[in-house]
Amino acid sequence: MASQASSSSSRSPSSKWRTFLQVISVVVAIEIGLHSFIVREPVVTLVLAALWLVGFFWIRRGGRGGPVLIGVLSLFELLGTLFFSNEAAPGVTVPAWIIIVHVVLVCVALAAVVMTLKAQSAAT
């Protein structure tokens, strides 16, 4: 039991951030997948959710590709939601909390990408 505690506390900051990025990637993929029930183009939304899952598996393999993919998807989602989404238009019946949760999750993912890449570069 003591060896488990020491091994979990000895994990590098890079692997901790990478693990957090994996978790947030799956959470965002699920959230986007659920979001496909309220948009006009559910196929596009499901493809984006699948790309987030691809990012999750790519992060597991290591390297910078997975975090970079999640970073690009985060920026795409953030800009798309804030500037090009019809859901935030007046007269649309999408509850504001759905958009707020989505923006917060994507911002957390973007911050996790930055911290993961920073920790990876510090470890090398």
Side-chain angles (χ1 to χ4, degrees), residues 38-55:
I38 62 171
V39 296
R40 290 186 182 153
E41 56 283 327
V43 174
V44 173
T45 308
L46 290 174
V47 168
L48 286 172
L51 286 172
W52 279 83
L53 289 176
V54 167

Side-chain angles (χ1 to χ4, degrees), residues 9-123:
S9 64
S10 66
R11 287 177 51 190
S12 70
S14 175
S15 70
K16 289 179 183 178
W17 279 110
R18 193 176 68 234
T19 301
F20 179 70
L21 184 56
Q22 289 174 338
V23 170
I24 197 70
S25 297
V26 170
V27 169
V28 172
I30 292 169
E31 184 264 334
I32 290 173
L34 292 173
H35 195 84
S36 69
F37 291 108
I38 62 171
V39 296
R40 290 186 182 153
E41 56 283 327
V43 174
V44 173
T45 308
L46 290 174
V47 168
L48 286 172
L51 286 172
W52 279 83
L53 289 176
V54 167
F56 162 77
F57 287 110
W58 199 351
I59 293 166
R60 288 185 57 140
R61 290 188 64 200
R64 294 180 178 265
V68 169
L69 174 63
I70 295 299
V72 169
L73 290 172
S74 297
L75 287 174
F76 178 76
E77 285 289 332
L78 188 60
L79 293 174
T81 301
L82 294 177
F83 297 112
F84 303 109
S85 176
N86 292 335
E87 297 159 2
V92 178
T93 59
V94 175
W97 69 268
I98 292 175
I99 296 171
I100 292 168
V101 166
H102 180 69
V103 168
V104 167
L105 284 174
V106 170
C107 287
V108 168
L110 193 55
V113 165
V114 170
M115 294 307 294
T116 300
L117 292 174
K118 188 175 179 180
Q120 281 180 350
S121 64

